[in-house]
Amino acid sequence: MTNPRTATEAGSTEIQDDRAAVKDDDLVPGPAVDARDQVVRGRGSRIVGIAISTFLTLYVIWTLAPFYIMITSSFKAKGDAFSLPAEGDWGGAAEKLIAFTPTTQHYTDLFAQGEFERYFMNSLIAALSSAIISVVFGTTAAYAISRGRFRGKKDLYFWIISTRMAPVVAVTVPLYAIFKNFQLLNTLPALILAYTVFNLPFAIWILKGFFDAVSYEIEEAYMVDGHSRWQALWKIIPLVAPGLAAVVVLCVLLAWNDFIFAAVMGGEAAKTLPVATQGLKSASGIEWGQIMAAGMVTVAPMLLLGIVIRKYMVQGLTMGAVKQ
Amino acid sequence: MAVNTAARGTSAGVDPSGPNKPTPRRYLAPLLLPAVILLALLSIYPFVWLIYMSFNAVGLAPGAPNEFVGFDNWSRMFSDSQYWESWGILAKYSVVSMVLEVGLGTLLAILLNRSKHEKLLITILLMPMMMAPVVAGLLWQYLYNGTFGWYFWILRSLGLLDEGTILGSSDIALWAIVAVDVWEWTPLVALIVLSGLKLVPQDQMEASWMDGAGPVRSFFQVALPAIKGSLMIAILLRFMDNIRIIDHFIALTGGGPANSTKILPLYLYEQSFSFFELGYGASIALTLLLVTILFGKLVVNRFEEREENPAKKDEELV
């Protein structure tokens, strides 16, 4: 929870650094600005530099402001703290945004109902189980696709990827009917299977890239030494370990952040955090402080994970288009 | 940061066209089948069910029989004006948010590429993407709120909003959701484009500057051709996600006011799980799937093109 806040602070120091950088540019040309350029358009490039810093600063504010309001609102007492200043009263607005007495009331209220821990555990179990299933099955399949040559490989690969791209609602319709027949509705296994629809193809896709990058000679050396192919596969697992960890985290992220599956098939018994957070809204009168607190509980763990595996996050979110 | 293209064939002296020696057939089955069977159960089996459902009135009570209705669901769909309107709203929403995200994202990528604080900025940009979309929707609903919302207050204070609330006006609500999408996903476009920019040799850029081309022209002459592939992937992924994920809409408007934000996947959600017209929902779902598969084919072709393009092979930085 403190993490986004430190990031906010980091953001503001960053902004100052950037201004300093612009001044430096006058002496030391940046990578894309060569010396001649400095001579010809010295003043112009300074203006460009300021424009760039301003744009980046504004973009950082635009990105972080909702986080700031979410965090502060989750610690604001009911009533007056939530009121807005008169329209156009910018001074009053700044004061309202910064000065307030923090309270953990919304968090204690949230957990005092006694159900929120359960929703948290549901989210965790569903996300982790699906991630583990996807990584285990995904590893062997990705290895086979990476190393194997067989007819229909392209079609198989396309089928796997297109499954990952299917619209969530379109998948939910038949799964709902099927799970109803098997009496799986409102259970965690239903959610775990549903998340695996998207996580397994994702795991195969990303892990194939990691196996492609491992030289076959390494396995060959093991097999020459008398290991079986299975043992050789086992031996190269450490080489793709970063990939495995990244895929687990990304699968957890995808499942944790899901709303549709859990809302339709989870019911009360398998309610997850996003559904519970949205559920707070329909109660009589919207208690924004509490919703923001619930949102924080939902978002904070993923923010932490995201920052820990930052470089793989980029790769995963871009479906492997970006590799670090 | 380098692009996936480089993943193959970079490891010592391996022939890039077929990076590794084939695994003997007898190993393929036990390696592949578990995943393939599981995925088939979770995707092909439901797909067949979906087709079956689209020709039935699906019974709701436990054990209730389905009733075969022929093409009723399909003819209903083709004459359903809301269905077509929802396609239109989806197209409008997707095109506008895509244009904004690609424009802003490309600009961001160019600036990030030059910035000394690239790592920190990327970390900040990643943050919105970690947020559960439904929570992002709720957060923005709060920001837009006519009584407590800071963004509502700012718009009013700047004189940009004369009357009504943001989400309550049918001519603004869709654009308000576009803003949320831009907030959460522009960084994704920026990061994909950034990966393409990393492949542009710095000296080429500089040479173009030396020729007096200026930043804008050298961008179009040197950088744009190089990042075309990345841009295409970003655009396709964003289009697909706009069809895939409707959480923002559910949290922010639920399709209102006056159906002005009812994009097709949301209409499908409503028909299937508010009115429990599962047979009708199945028909809509199949048309959505068809479009997705076409888009998917385009995406995969793009990825393969990148993997097969030998000019970009040696760029990996690890």
Side-chain angles (χ1 to χ4, degrees), chain A residues 69-104:
Chain A
I69 291 177
M70 182 173 178
I71 296 164
T72 51
S73 300
S74 77
F75 288 107
K76 274 185 181 174
K78 291 178 195 176
D80 186 47
F82 275 83
S83 65
L84 294 172
E87 272 161 32
D89 178 12
W90 296 92
E95 201 186 318
K96 266 247 175 309
L97 277 172
I98 297 162
F100 63 94
T101 322
T103 164
T104 55

PDB file of all heavy atoms in Angstrom, chain A residues 69-104:
ATOM      1  N   ILE A  69      -5.670   9.964  -5.581  1.00  0.00           N
ATOM      2  CA  ILE A  69      -7.021  10.196  -5.057  1.00  0.00           C
ATOM      3  C   ILE A  69      -7.590   8.915  -4.455  1.00  0.00           C
ATOM      4  O   ILE A  69      -8.246   8.930  -3.424  1.00  0.00           O
ATOM      5  CB  ILE A  69      -7.918  10.763  -6.169  1.00  0.00           C
ATOM      6  CG1 ILE A  69      -7.431  12.179  -6.489  1.00  0.00           C
ATOM      7  CG2 ILE A  69      -9.378  10.755  -5.757  1.00  0.00           C
ATOM      8  CD1 ILE A  69      -8.146  12.853  -7.607  1.00  0.00           C
ATOM      9  N   MET A  70      -7.281   7.791  -5.071  1.00  0.00           N
ATOM     10  CA  MET A  70      -7.753   6.517  -4.534  1.00  0.00           C
ATOM     11  C   MET A  70      -7.155   6.250  -3.154  1.00  0.00           C
ATOM     12  O   MET A  70      -7.865   5.891  -2.210  1.00  0.00           O
ATOM     13  CB  MET A  70      -7.361   5.406  -5.499  1.00  0.00           C
ATOM     14  CG  MET A  70      -7.811   4.033  -5.098  1.00  0.00           C
ATOM     15  SD  MET A  70      -7.423   2.901  -6.454  1.00  0.00           S
ATOM     16  CE  MET A  70      -7.977   1.393  -5.745  1.00  0.00           C
ATOM     17  N   ILE A  71      -5.838   6.444  -3.049  1.00  0.00           N
ATOM     18  CA  ILE A  71      -5.177   6.168  -1.773  1.00  0.00           C
ATOM     19  C   ILE A  71      -5.690   7.117  -0.693  1.00  0.00           C
ATOM     20  O   ILE A  71      -6.111   6.681   0.392  1.00  0.00           O
ATOM     21  CB  ILE A  71      -3.644   6.313  -1.915  1.00  0.00           C
ATOM     22  CG1 ILE A  71      -3.113   5.271  -2.884  1.00  0.00           C
ATOM     23  CG2 ILE A  71      -2.963   6.162  -0.565  1.00  0.00           C
ATOM     24  CD1 ILE A  71      -1.706   5.560  -3.373  1.00  0.00           C
ATOM     25  N   THR A  72      -5.680   8.417  -0.983  1.00  0.00           N
ATOM     26  CA  THR A  72      -6.098   9.369   0.055  1.00  0.00           C
ATOM     27  C   THR A  72      -7.563   9.148   0.420  1.00  0.00           C
ATOM     28  O   THR A  72      -7.911   9.172   1.591  1.00  0.00           O
ATOM     29  CB  THR A  72      -5.887  10.815  -0.413  1.00  0.00           C
ATOM     30  OG1 THR A  72      -6.490  10.978  -1.685  1.00  0.00           O
ATOM     31  CG2 THR A  72      -4.417  11.158  -0.507  1.00  0.00           C
ATOM     32  N   SER A  73      -8.411   8.896  -0.582  1.00  0.00           N
ATOM     33  CA  SER A  73      -9.832   8.723  -0.260  1.00  0.00           C
ATOM     34  C   SER A  73     -10.063   7.513   0.622  1.00  0.00           C
ATOM     35  O   SER A  73     -10.987   7.495   1.437  1.00  0.00           O
ATOM     36  CB  SER A  73     -10.655   8.583  -1.542  1.00  0.00           C
ATOM     37  OG  SER A  73     -10.501   9.717  -2.332  1.00  0.00           O
ATOM     38  N   SER A  74      -9.227   6.492   0.442  1.00  0.00           N
ATOM     39  CA  SER A  74      -9.432   5.304   1.271  1.00  0.00           C
ATOM     40  C   SER A  74      -9.068   5.573   2.724  1.00  0.00           C
ATOM     41  O   SER A  74      -9.439   4.816   3.606  1.00  0.00           O
ATOM     42  CB  SER A  74      -8.616   4.130   0.716  1.00  0.00           C
ATOM     43  OG  SER A  74      -7.248   4.267   1.050  1.00  0.00           O
ATOM     44  N   PHE A  75      -8.328   6.659   2.966  1.00  0.00           N
ATOM     45  CA  PHE A  75      -7.958   7.012   4.344  1.00  0.00           C
ATOM     46  C   PHE A  75      -8.710   8.242   4.858  1.00  0.00           C
ATOM     47  O   PHE A  75      -8.383   8.765   5.910  1.00  0.00           O
ATOM     48  CB  PHE A  75      -6.450   7.272   4.437  1.00  0.00           C
ATOM     49  CG  PHE A  75      -5.625   6.018   4.326  1.00  0.00           C
ATOM     50  CD1 PHE A  75      -4.898   5.745   3.185  1.00  0.00           C
ATOM     51  CD2 PHE A  75      -5.604   5.099   5.369  1.00  0.00           C
ATOM     52  CE1 PHE A  75      -4.152   4.581   3.076  1.00  0.00           C
ATOM     53  CE2 PHE A  75      -4.858   3.936   5.271  1.00  0.00           C
ATOM     54  CZ  PHE A  75      -4.130   3.677   4.114  1.00  0.00           C
ATOM     55  N   LYS A  76      -9.692   8.698   4.094  1.00  0.00           N
ATOM     56  CA  LYS A  76     -10.437   9.884   4.533  1.00  0.00           C
ATOM     57  C   LYS A  76     -11.676   9.470   5.305  1.00  0.00           C
ATOM     58  O   LYS A  76     -12.379   8.531   4.907  1.00  0.00           O
ATOM     59  CB  LYS A  76     -10.873  10.709   3.316  1.00  0.00           C
ATOM     60  CG  LYS A  76      -9.825  11.693   2.831  1.00  0.00           C
ATOM     61  CD  LYS A  76     -10.392  12.539   1.705  1.00  0.00           C
ATOM     62  CE  LYS A  76      -9.339  13.511   1.214  1.00  0.00           C
ATOM     63  NZ  LYS A  76      -9.792  14.251   0.017  1.00  0.00           N
ATOM     64  N   ALA A  77     -11.961  10.219   6.377  1.00  0.00           N
ATOM     65  CA  ALA A  77     -13.173   9.937   7.147  1.00  0.00           C
ATOM     66  C   ALA A  77     -14.396  10.302   6.307  1.00  0.00           C
ATOM     67  O   ALA A  77     -14.313  11.091   5.375  1.00  0.00           O
ATOM     68  CB  ALA A  77     -13.157  10.730   8.444  1.00  0.00           C
ATOM     69  N   LYS A  78     -15.519   9.686   6.670  1.00  0.00           N
ATOM     70  CA  LYS A  78     -16.759   9.999   5.959  1.00  0.00           C
ATOM     71  C   LYS A  78     -17.098  11.490   6.079  1.00  0.00           C
ATOM     72  O   LYS A  78     -16.537  12.215   6.889  1.00  0.00           O
ATOM     73  CB  LYS A  78     -17.922   9.211   6.571  1.00  0.00           C
ATOM     74  CG  LYS A  78     -17.853   7.729   6.322  1.00  0.00           C
ATOM     75  CD  LYS A  78     -19.035   7.066   7.022  1.00  0.00           C
ATOM     76  CE  LYS A  78     -18.829   5.566   7.135  1.00  0.00           C
ATOM     77  NZ  LYS A  78     -19.885   4.914   7.887  1.00  0.00           N
ATOM     78  N   GLY A  79     -18.066  11.900   5.287  1.00  0.00           N
ATOM     79  CA  GLY A  79     -18.629  13.239   5.454  1.00  0.00           C
ATOM     80  C   GLY A  79     -17.775  14.326   4.864  1.00  0.00           C
ATOM     81  O   GLY A  79     -17.427  14.284   3.690  1.00  0.00           O
ATOM     82  N   ASP A  80     -17.419  15.272   5.722  1.00  0.00           N
ATOM     83  CA  ASP A  80     -16.809  16.511   5.258  1.00  0.00           C
ATOM     84  C   ASP A  80     -15.590  16.283   4.373  1.00  0.00           C
ATOM     85  O   ASP A  80     -15.377  16.973   3.385  1.00  0.00           O
ATOM     86  CB  ASP A  80     -16.415  17.368   6.469  1.00  0.00           C
ATOM     87  CG  ASP A  80     -15.909  18.722   6.019  1.00  0.00           C
ATOM     88  OD1 ASP A  80     -16.585  19.329   5.164  1.00  0.00           O
ATOM     89  OD2 ASP A  80     -14.839  19.146   6.500  1.00  0.00           O
ATOM     90  N   ALA A  81     -14.776  15.271   4.730  1.00  0.00           N
ATOM     91  CA  ALA A  81     -13.549  15.029   3.982  1.00  0.00           C
ATOM     92  C   ALA A  81     -13.834  14.767   2.518  1.00  0.00           C
ATOM     93  O   ALA A  81     -12.982  14.990   1.666  1.00  0.00           O
ATOM     94  CB  ALA A  81     -12.797  13.851   4.592  1.00  0.00           C
ATOM     95  N   PHE A  82     -15.031  14.274   2.217  1.00  0.00           N
ATOM     96  CA  PHE A  82     -15.347  13.930   0.839  1.00  0.00           C
ATOM     97  C   PHE A  82     -15.988  15.065   0.057  1.00  0.00           C
ATOM     98  O   PHE A  82     -16.174  14.959  -1.138  1.00  0.00           O
ATOM     99  CB  PHE A  82     -16.262  12.706   0.803  1.00  0.00           C
ATOM    100  CG  PHE A  82     -15.478  11.437   0.860  1.00  0.00           C
ATOM    101  CD1 PHE A  82     -15.045  10.917   2.067  1.00  0.00           C
ATOM    102  CD2 PHE A  82     -15.139  10.780  -0.314  1.00  0.00           C
ATOM    103  CE1 PHE A  82     -14.306   9.757   2.098  1.00  0.00           C
ATOM    104  CE2 PHE A  82     -14.397   9.620  -0.275  1.00  0.00           C
ATOM    105  CZ  PHE A  82     -13.978   9.105   0.934  1.00  0.00           C
ATOM    106  N   SER A  83     -16.351  16.148   0.772  1.00  0.00           N
ATOM    107  CA  SER A  83     -17.010  17.244   0.065  1.00  0.00           C
ATOM    108  C   SER A  83     -15.992  17.967  -0.807  1.00  0.00           C
ATOM    109  O   SER A  83     -14.785  17.943  -0.552  1.00  0.00           O
ATOM    110  CB  SER A  83     -17.636  18.209   1.061  1.00  0.00           C
ATOM    111  OG  SER A  83     -16.611  18.823   1.812  1.00  0.00           O
ATOM    112  N   LEU A  84     -16.468  18.613  -1.858  1.00  0.00           N
ATOM    113  CA  LEU A  84     -15.588  19.336  -2.762  1.00  0.00           C
ATOM    114  C   LEU A  84     -15.635  20.830  -2.439  1.00  0.00           C
ATOM    115  O   LEU A  84     -16.643  21.322  -1.938  1.00  0.00           O
ATOM    116  CB  LEU A  84     -16.039  19.121  -4.209  1.00  0.00           C
ATOM    117  CG  LEU A  84     -15.918  17.700  -4.745  1.00  0.00           C
ATOM    118  CD1 LEU A  84     -16.579  17.588  -6.101  1.00  0.00           C
ATOM    119  CD2 LEU A  84     -14.458  17.295  -4.842  1.00  0.00           C
ATOM    120  N   PRO A  85     -14.557  21.550  -2.722  1.00  0.00           N
ATOM    121  CA  PRO A  85     -14.592  23.004  -2.529  1.00  0.00           C
ATOM    122  C   PRO A  85     -15.517  23.652  -3.555  1.00  0.00           C
ATOM    123  O   PRO A  85     -15.967  22.993  -4.492  1.00  0.00           O
ATOM    124  CB  PRO A  85     -13.136  23.419  -2.763  1.00  0.00           C
ATOM    125  CG  PRO A  85     -12.572  22.354  -3.618  1.00  0.00           C
ATOM    126  CD  PRO A  85     -13.279  21.091  -3.245  1.00  0.00           C
ATOM    127  N   ALA A  86     -15.776  24.949  -3.354  1.00  0.00           N
ATOM    128  CA  ALA A  86     -16.602  25.670  -4.321  1.00  0.00           C
ATOM    129  C   ALA A  86     -15.921  25.645  -5.682  1.00  0.00           C
ATOM    130  O   ALA A  86     -14.687  25.621  -5.769  1.00  0.00           O
ATOM    131  CB  ALA A  86     -16.800  27.111  -3.860  1.00  0.00           C
ATOM    132  N   GLU A  87     -16.728  25.657  -6.725  1.00  0.00           N
ATOM    133  CA  GLU A  87     -16.163  25.605  -8.068  1.00  0.00           C
ATOM    134  C   GLU A  87     -15.232  26.782  -8.315  1.00  0.00           C
ATOM    135  O   GLU A  87     -15.582  27.925  -8.030  1.00  0.00           O
ATOM    136  CB  GLU A  87     -17.275  25.595  -9.111  1.00  0.00           C
ATOM    137  CG  GLU A  87     -17.749  24.186  -9.412  1.00  0.00           C
ATOM    138  CD  GLU A  87     -19.109  24.171 -10.073  1.00  0.00           C
ATOM    139  OE1 GLU A  87     -19.397  25.121 -10.820  1.00  0.00           O
ATOM    140  OE2 GLU A  87     -19.863  23.213  -9.837  1.00  0.00           O
ATOM    141  N   GLY A  88     -14.059  26.474  -8.821  1.00  0.00           N
ATOM    142  CA  GLY A  88     -13.099  27.523  -9.126  1.00  0.00           C
ATOM    143  C   GLY A  88     -12.192  27.876  -7.965  1.00  0.00           C
ATOM    144  O   GLY A  88     -11.252  28.636  -8.125  1.00  0.00           O
ATOM    145  N   ASP A  89     -12.442  27.323  -6.785  1.00  0.00           N
ATOM    146  CA  ASP A  89     -11.621  27.623  -5.610  1.00  0.00           C
ATOM    147  C   ASP A  89     -10.412  26.693  -5.593  1.00  0.00           C
ATOM    148  O   ASP A  89     -10.371  25.696  -4.883  1.00  0.00           O
ATOM    149  CB  ASP A  89     -12.481  27.445  -4.347  1.00  0.00           C
ATOM    150  CG  ASP A  89     -11.671  27.692  -3.075  1.00  0.00           C
ATOM    151  OD1 ASP A  89     -10.535  28.206  -3.187  1.00  0.00           O
ATOM    152  OD2 ASP A  89     -12.176  27.367  -1.986  1.00  0.00           O
ATOM    153  N   TRP A  90      -9.399  27.018  -6.412  1.00  0.00           N
ATOM    154  CA  TRP A  90      -8.264  26.093  -6.585  1.00  0.00           C
ATOM    155  C   TRP A  90      -7.446  25.971  -5.308  1.00  0.00           C
ATOM    156  O   TRP A  90      -6.920  24.901  -5.006  1.00  0.00           O
ATOM    157  CB  TRP A  90      -7.384  26.550  -7.741  1.00  0.00           C
ATOM    158  CG  TRP A  90      -8.117  26.510  -9.041  1.00  0.00           C
ATOM    159  CD1 TRP A  90      -8.815  27.525  -9.622  1.00  0.00           C
ATOM    160  CD2 TRP A  90      -8.295  25.375  -9.901  1.00  0.00           C
ATOM    161  NE1 TRP A  90      -9.398  27.094 -10.799  1.00  0.00           N
ATOM    162  CE2 TRP A  90      -9.097  25.785 -11.002  1.00  0.00           C
ATOM    163  CE3 TRP A  90      -7.849  24.048  -9.854  1.00  0.00           C
ATOM    164  CZ2 TRP A  90      -9.463  24.927 -12.026  1.00  0.00           C
ATOM    165  CZ3 TRP A  90      -8.206  23.197 -10.894  1.00  0.00           C
ATOM    166  CH2 TRP A  90      -9.006  23.639 -11.954  1.00  0.00           C
ATOM    167  N   GLY A  91      -7.336  27.083  -4.574  1.00  0.00           N
ATOM    168  CA  GLY A  91      -6.595  27.028  -3.321  1.00  0.00           C
ATOM    169  C   GLY A  91      -7.239  26.054  -2.344  1.00  0.00           C
ATOM    170  O   GLY A  91      -6.577  25.211  -1.745  1.00  0.00           O
ATOM    171  N   GLY A  92      -8.556  26.193  -2.220  1.00  0.00           N
ATOM    172  CA  GLY A  92      -9.298  25.292  -1.334  1.00  0.00           C
ATOM    173  C   GLY A  92      -9.158  23.845  -1.774  1.00  0.00           C
ATOM    174  O   GLY A  92      -9.088  22.925  -0.963  1.00  0.00           O
ATOM    175  N   ALA A  93      -9.086  23.651  -3.098  1.00  0.00           N
ATOM    176  CA  ALA A  93      -8.965  22.297  -3.628  1.00  0.00           C
ATOM    177  C   ALA A  93      -7.642  21.672  -3.218  1.00  0.00           C
ATOM    178  O   ALA A  93      -7.589  20.531  -2.748  1.00  0.00           O
ATOM    179  CB  ALA A  93      -9.081  22.333  -5.147  1.00  0.00           C
ATOM    180  N   ALA A  94      -6.568  22.463  -3.368  1.00  0.00           N
ATOM    181  CA  ALA A  94      -5.256  21.948  -3.005  1.00  0.00           C
ATOM    182  C   ALA A  94      -5.239  21.556  -1.535  1.00  0.00           C
ATOM    183  O   ALA A  94      -4.706  20.499  -1.166  1.00  0.00           O
ATOM    184  CB  ALA A  94      -4.185  23.005  -3.295  1.00  0.00           C
ATOM    185  N   GLU A  95      -5.863  22.406  -0.714  1.00  0.00           N
ATOM    186  CA  GLU A  95      -5.880  22.121   0.714  1.00  0.00           C
ATOM    187  C   GLU A  95      -6.646  20.828   0.992  1.00  0.00           C
ATOM    188  O   GLU A  95      -6.213  19.983   1.759  1.00  0.00           O
ATOM    189  CB  GLU A  95      -6.536  23.302   1.427  1.00  0.00           C
ATOM    190  CG  GLU A  95      -6.191  23.390   2.894  1.00  0.00           C
ATOM    191  CD  GLU A  95      -6.985  24.500   3.560  1.00  0.00           C
ATOM    192  OE1 GLU A  95      -7.108  25.574   2.945  1.00  0.00           O
ATOM    193  OE2 GLU A  95      -7.490  24.271   4.665  1.00  0.00           O
ATOM    194  N   LYS A  96      -7.790  20.699   0.342  1.00  0.00           N
ATOM    195  CA  LYS A  96      -8.614  19.502   0.542  1.00  0.00           C
ATOM    196  C   LYS A  96      -7.882  18.233   0.116  1.00  0.00           C
ATOM    197  O   LYS A  96      -8.036  17.175   0.711  1.00  0.00           O
ATOM    198  CB  LYS A  96      -9.891  19.616  -0.306  1.00  0.00           C
ATOM    199  CG  LYS A  96     -11.098  20.183   0.409  1.00  0.00           C
ATOM    200  CD  LYS A  96     -12.134  19.086   0.541  1.00  0.00           C
ATOM    201  CE  LYS A  96     -13.363  19.434   1.324  1.00  0.00           C
ATOM    202  NZ  LYS A  96     -13.291  19.994   2.604  1.00  0.00           N
ATOM    203  N   LEU A  97      -7.059  18.371  -0.937  1.00  0.00           N
ATOM    204  CA  LEU A  97      -6.381  17.190  -1.463  1.00  0.00           C
ATOM    205  C   LEU A  97      -5.238  16.752  -0.549  1.00  0.00           C
ATOM    206  O   LEU A  97      -4.906  15.579  -0.484  1.00  0.00           O
ATOM    207  CB  LEU A  97      -5.829  17.478  -2.862  1.00  0.00           C
ATOM    208  CG  LEU A  97      -6.833  17.330  -4.000  1.00  0.00           C
ATOM    209  CD1 LEU A  97      -6.232  17.830  -5.307  1.00  0.00           C
ATOM    210  CD2 LEU A  97      -7.258  15.869  -4.156  1.00  0.00           C
ATOM    211  N   ILE A  98      -4.638  17.713   0.140  1.00  0.00           N
ATOM    212  CA  ILE A  98      -3.436  17.382   0.895  1.00  0.00           C
ATOM    213  C   ILE A  98      -3.717  17.248   2.388  1.00  0.00           C
ATOM    214  O   ILE A  98      -3.281  16.291   3.026  1.00  0.00           O
ATOM    215  CB  ILE A  98      -2.339  18.449   0.649  1.00  0.00           C
ATOM    216  CG1 ILE A  98      -1.943  18.433  -0.826  1.00  0.00           C
ATOM    217  CG2 ILE A  98      -1.125  18.186   1.523  1.00  0.00           C
ATOM    218  CD1 ILE A  98      -1.226  19.683  -1.271  1.00  0.00           C
ATOM    219  N   ALA A  99      -4.466  18.206   2.926  1.00  0.00           N
ATOM    220  CA  ALA A  99      -4.640  18.235   4.379  1.00  0.00           C
ATOM    221  C   ALA A  99      -5.921  17.523   4.809  1.00  0.00           C
ATOM    222  O   ALA A  99      -7.019  17.984   4.506  1.00  0.00           O
ATOM    223  CB  ALA A  99      -4.658  19.689   4.857  1.00  0.00           C
ATOM    224  N   PHE A 100      -5.754  16.398   5.460  1.00  0.00           N
ATOM    225  CA  PHE A 100      -6.896  15.738   6.086  1.00  0.00           C
ATOM    226  C   PHE A 100      -6.348  14.798   7.148  1.00  0.00           C
ATOM    227  O   PHE A 100      -5.160  14.445   7.118  1.00  0.00           O
ATOM    228  CB  PHE A 100      -7.730  14.967   5.063  1.00  0.00           C
ATOM    229  CG  PHE A 100      -6.990  13.852   4.392  1.00  0.00           C
ATOM    230  CD1 PHE A 100      -7.069  12.551   4.889  1.00  0.00           C
ATOM    231  CD2 PHE A 100      -6.189  14.083   3.276  1.00  0.00           C
ATOM    232  CE1 PHE A 100      -6.380  11.517   4.294  1.00  0.00           C
ATOM    233  CE2 PHE A 100      -5.488  13.050   2.676  1.00  0.00           C
ATOM    234  CZ  PHE A 100      -5.587  11.773   3.183  1.00  0.00           C
ATOM    235  N   THR A 101      -7.166  14.414   8.079  1.00  0.00           N
ATOM    236  CA  THR A 101      -6.707  13.511   9.133  1.00  0.00           C
ATOM    237  C   THR A 101      -6.951  12.081   8.677  1.00  0.00           C
ATOM    238  O   THR A 101      -8.100  11.670   8.510  1.00  0.00           O
ATOM    239  CB  THR A 101      -7.484  13.769  10.434  1.00  0.00           C
ATOM    240  OG1 THR A 101      -7.684  15.171  10.545  1.00  0.00           O
ATOM    241  CG2 THR A 101      -6.744  13.216  11.617  1.00  0.00           C
ATOM    242  N   PRO A 102      -5.881  11.343   8.446  1.00  0.00           N
ATOM    243  CA  PRO A 102      -6.091   9.985   7.948  1.00  0.00           C
ATOM    244  C   PRO A 102      -6.728   9.069   8.994  1.00  0.00           C
ATOM    245  O   PRO A 102      -6.467   9.202  10.191  1.00  0.00           O
ATOM    246  CB  PRO A 102      -4.674   9.514   7.586  1.00  0.00           C
ATOM    247  CG  PRO A 102      -3.757  10.416   8.312  1.00  0.00           C
ATOM    248  CD  PRO A 102      -4.462  11.692   8.568  1.00  0.00           C
ATOM    249  N   THR A 103      -7.565   8.172   8.496  1.00  0.00           N
ATOM    250  CA  THR A 103      -8.188   7.191   9.375  1.00  0.00           C
ATOM    251  C   THR A 103      -8.219   5.850   8.650  1.00  0.00           C
ATOM    252  O   THR A 103      -8.367   5.808   7.422  1.00  0.00           O
ATOM    253  CB  THR A 103      -9.622   7.598   9.743  1.00  0.00           C
ATOM    254  OG1 THR A 103     -10.299   6.467  10.273  1.00  0.00           O
ATOM    255  CG2 THR A 103     -10.400   8.093   8.525  1.00  0.00           C
ATOM    256  N   THR A 104      -8.063   4.782   9.405  1.00  0.00           N
ATOM    257  CA  THR A 104      -8.120   3.461   8.778  1.00  0.00           C
ATOM    258  C   THR A 104      -9.517   2.862   8.884  1.00  0.00           C
ATOM    259  O   THR A 104      -9.706   1.669   8.671  1.00  0.00           O
ATOM    260  CB  THR A 104      -7.105   2.502   9.432  1.00  0.00           C
ATOM    261  OG1 THR A 104      -7.369   2.484  10.839  1.00  0.00           O
ATOM    262  CG2 THR A 104      -5.682   2.949   9.178  1.00  0.00           C
TER     263      THR A 104
END
